[in-house]
């Protein structure tokens, strides 16, 4: 390596301002990279347009990064279109900014939204996720697949494409034991333990940060207003819609279970509930806003002053700050529960895919996974209430286990950067 700054591209985190789970992946990855290599030139490919200035938080302080639009779009004339990048590559570049950033990269990092390297969410999402990987390999740039879930794949063609792209990556990390088993199965005889690794979700390394101004005082005041436990509840707009339940083959109705859970928690006189939306896509099928507002209305009417609906506008760091103040957390969004677990807060998850069990297994918390694909309303509620009652035991387990998982989340970034910048710099990273 020369003395020039390390050039890093990050893909797979679009819509980070709308989906706090994706935002957590983005923020945690950028925070970890820039804390270790402050002079790095980092380009985040997002769903915006053109080149823009952005920032990431490192130790609570904003650090400049660069943003470049990239999308699976029918506006083929736009340079942000992946197809435009592909055609530009075949014709010598044509001044395509995104392609030039890829060409200049020392390493291309790809998060696939944590769980989107799959055709589970449809063909369009799968193509959107695979395009950056294809372009990086096409341009001969080192591609590192950050810790994520591989599959499931419903169609053989999608599985074959995923296997080819994964084989072409310089490194591929899985985010839990179950995901690593899926990665091994995907690669077959081509598995190389030096390149194909089991890690943990990068969001375990996300730093919390309090909101600014009056909102911090309002939230802190609400938490401090009484001595009893506070239960956090995240309700997914996707899982409360009939089409969402049908897509994932759910037996239970998570929205109905969330209301019953809230009522049971609030039947305990000293318990309060904070409702935490994690996806804000107005009018979109994933939006948690309406489901959260409905849950709040149902509970707050009967229990005034004991239920708080988290306002919009908080970023992933600030949302984690709130979740860390709960006594127990129940989430339908995977990264909402990771915010709890990484803060050593006991958590349960309403699962709609296999990814939840693997992530909870990293901390020995599998018993707190309530699988809505096989449990009815009553059984699902029983798992959640058992988790609530056993929160003291879980808290003791997390007090021991969480620091090690957070350490691993940072150590895997050290390994990736050491590999990216070369052996000499890697040794310096190890001596940091």
């Amino acid at each position: 390596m020369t003395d020039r700054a390390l050039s890093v591209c990050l893909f797979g985190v679009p819509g980070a301002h709308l989906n706090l789970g994706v935002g957590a992946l983005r923020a945690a990855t950028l925070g970890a990279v820039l804390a270790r290599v402050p002079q790095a030139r980092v380009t985040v490919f997002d769903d915006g347009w053109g080149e823009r200035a952005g920032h990431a938080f490192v130790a609570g302080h904003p650090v400049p990064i660069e943003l470049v639009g990239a999308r699976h779009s029918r506006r083929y004339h736009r340079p942000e279109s992946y197809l435009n990048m592909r055609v530009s590559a075949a014709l010598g570049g044509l001044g395509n900014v995104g392609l030039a950033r890829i060409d200049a990269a020392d390493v291309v990092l790809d998060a696939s939204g944590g769980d989107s390297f799959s055709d589970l969410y449809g063909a369009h999402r799968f193509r959107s996720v695979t395009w950056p990987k294809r372009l990086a390999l096409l341009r001969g740039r080192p591609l590192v697949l950050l810790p994520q879930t591989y599959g499931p794949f419903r169609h053989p063609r999608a599985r074959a494409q995923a296997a080819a792209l994964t084989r072409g990556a310089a490194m591929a990390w899985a985010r839990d034991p179950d995901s690593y088993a899926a990665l091994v199965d995907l690669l077959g005889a081509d598995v190389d333990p030096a390149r194909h690794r089991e890690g943990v979700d990068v969001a375990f390394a996300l730093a919390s940060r309090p909101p600014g101004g009056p909102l911090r005082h309002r939230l802190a005041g609400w938490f401090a207003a009484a001595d009893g436990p506070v239960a956090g509840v995240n309700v997914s707009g996707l899982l409360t819609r009939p089409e969402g339940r049908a897509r994932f083959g759910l037996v239970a109705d998570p929205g109905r279970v969330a209301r019953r859970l809230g009522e049971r928690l609030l039947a305990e006189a000293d318990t309060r509930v904070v409702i935490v939306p994690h996806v804000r896509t107005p009018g979109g099928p994933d939006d948690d806003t309406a489901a959260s507002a409905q849950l709040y209305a149902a509970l707050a009417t009967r229990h005034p002053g004991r239920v708080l609906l988290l306002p919009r506008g908080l970023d992933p760091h600030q949302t984690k700050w709130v979740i860390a103040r709960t006594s127990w957390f129940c989430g339908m969004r995977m990264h909402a529960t990771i915010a709890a677990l990484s803060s050593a807060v006991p958590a349960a998850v309403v699962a709609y895919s296999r990814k939840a069990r693997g992530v909870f297994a990293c901390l020995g918390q599998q018993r707190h996974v309530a699988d809505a694909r096989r449990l009815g309303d009553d059984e699902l509620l029983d798992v959640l209430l058992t988790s609530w009652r056993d929160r003291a035991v879980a808290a003791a387990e997390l007090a021991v286990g969480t620091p090690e998982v957070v350490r691993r989340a940072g150590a895997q970034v050290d390994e990736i950067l050491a590999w990216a910048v070369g052996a000499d710099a890697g040794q310096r990273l190890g001596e940091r």
Side-chain angles (χ1 to χ4, degrees):
M1 291 285 296
T2 66
D3 291 334
R4 67 175 176 80
L6 181 73
S7 180
V8 178
C9 288
L10 175 60
F11 281 98
V13 287
H17 62 297
L18 300 173
N19 185 320
L20 293 179
V22 175
L25 283 173
R26 169 175 152 170
T29 300
L30 296 177
V33 169
L34 290 168
R36 289 158 172 79
V37 189
Q39 74 280 11
R41 182 187 186 189
V42 177
T43 300
V44 176
F45 286 80
D46 65 2
D47 49 1
W49 300 102
E51 297 178 89
R52 288 150 289 126
H55 67 269
F57 284 96
V58 180
H61 301 287
V63 174
I65 60 171
E66 298 171 73
L67 305 174
V68 174
R71 56 180 66 196
H72 179 40
S73 169
R74 293 182 178 180
R75 300 183 184 184
Y76 305 131
H77 65 286
R78 295 285 312 187
E80 297 86 359
S81 164
Y82 285 127
L83 184 60
N84 187 296
M85 293 186 201
R86 177 65 182 88
V87 172
S88 296
L91 298 176
L94 299 181
N96 186 291
V97 172
L99 190 65
R101 296 297 178 94
I102 295 172
D103 286 345
D106 296 300
V107 61
V108 176
L109 306 178
D110 191 310
S112 300
D115 71 340
S116 293
F117 200 4
S118 165
D119 60 357
L120 182 66
Y121 300 103
H124 186 275
R125 173 88 72 91
F126 180 72
R127 287 192 292 269
S128 298
V129 165
T130 56
W131 259 118
K133 301 171 180 61
R134 293 167 57 189
L135 288 169
L137 297 179
L138 174 69
R139 304 304 284 177
R141 306 319 303 147
L143 171 65
V144 173
L145 303 182
L146 294 173
Q148 58 191 269
T149 299
Y150 296 83
F153 300 103
R154 294 174 171 173
H155 300 94
R157 182 177 179 182
R159 179 182 173 86
Q161 291 176 4
L165 293 170
T166 305
R167 290 189 182 99
M171 300 182 81
W173 291 73
R175 68 178 179 178
D176 56 68
D178 290 355
S179 296
Y180 185 70
L183 173 62
V184 169
D185 181 65
L186 183 66
L187 292 173
D190 294 322
V191 169
D192 177 359
R195 297 169 49 219
H196 307 128
R197 309 290 298 280
E198 180 186 325
V200 298
D201 195 291
V202 180
F204 275 99
L206 180 70
S208 67
R209 180 173 57 86
L215 182 56
R216 176 179 182 176
H217 297 293
R218 174 190 164 197
L219 293 174
W222 187 86
F223 276 95
D227 294 331
V230 175
V233 177
N234 157 245
V235 57
S236 165
L238 178 62
L239 299 189
T240 58
R241 290 182 172 86
E243 58 270 30
R245 297 196 297 274
R247 174 192 290 184
F248 298 112
L250 304 190
V251 176
D253 181 336
R256 189 163 56 218
V257 171
R259 290 190 294 275
R260 291 177 62 188
L261 173 65
E263 288 293 353
R264 292 287 293 272
L265 294 172
L266 291 165
E268 301 180 15
D270 63 342
T271 299
R272 292 177 295 155
V273 171
V274 56
I275 300 170
V276 183
H278 221 242
V279 174
R280 301 272 199 179
T281 55
D286 282 357
D287 185 32
D288 294 350
T289 304
S292 299
Q294 290 167 7
L295 179 61
Y296 174 78
L299 299 178
T301 301
R302 297 183 60 185
H303 307 279
R306 297 174 59 198
V307 185
L308 173 68
L309 175 60
L310 203 62
R312 64 174 63 247
L314 299 184
D315 68 20
H317 301 277
Q318 296 164 335
T319 303
K320 182 172 181 175
W321 179 86
V322 172
I323 291 173
R325 276 150 181 76
T326 62
S327 309
W328 175 81
F329 189 83
C330 174
M332 298 183 191
R333 300 288 186 180
M334 186 73 258
H335 279 97
T337 61
I338 289 177
L341 294 173
S342 61
S343 304
V345 170
V349 60
V350 176
Y352 62 90
S353 73
R354 69 187 187 191
K355 64 181 179 179
R357 183 192 178 281
V359 170
F360 271 61
C362 292
L363 283 158
Q365 301 296 300
Q366 303 95 305
R367 66 188 184 278
H368 298 281
V369 176
D371 193 337
R373 298 171 300 173
R374 63 179 184 85
L375 300 177
D377 287 12
D378 292 342
E379 295 84 1
L380 198 71
L381 182 61
D382 284 345
V383 174
L384 299 178
L385 289 173
T386 298
S387 175
W388 163 253
R389 289 191 295 267
D390 293 347
R391 65 188 183 278
V393 174
E397 294 169 346
L398 293 172
V400 175
T402 293
E404 172 59 17
V405 173
V406 173
R407 184 202 66 78
R408 287 180 62 195
Q412 66 197 8
V413 176
D414 283 334
E415 288 193 50
I416 291 168
L417 290 174
W419 171 85
V421 302
D424 291 341
Q427 183 177 359
R428 291 196 296 275
L429 280 171
E431 294 171 352
R432 180 175 48 83

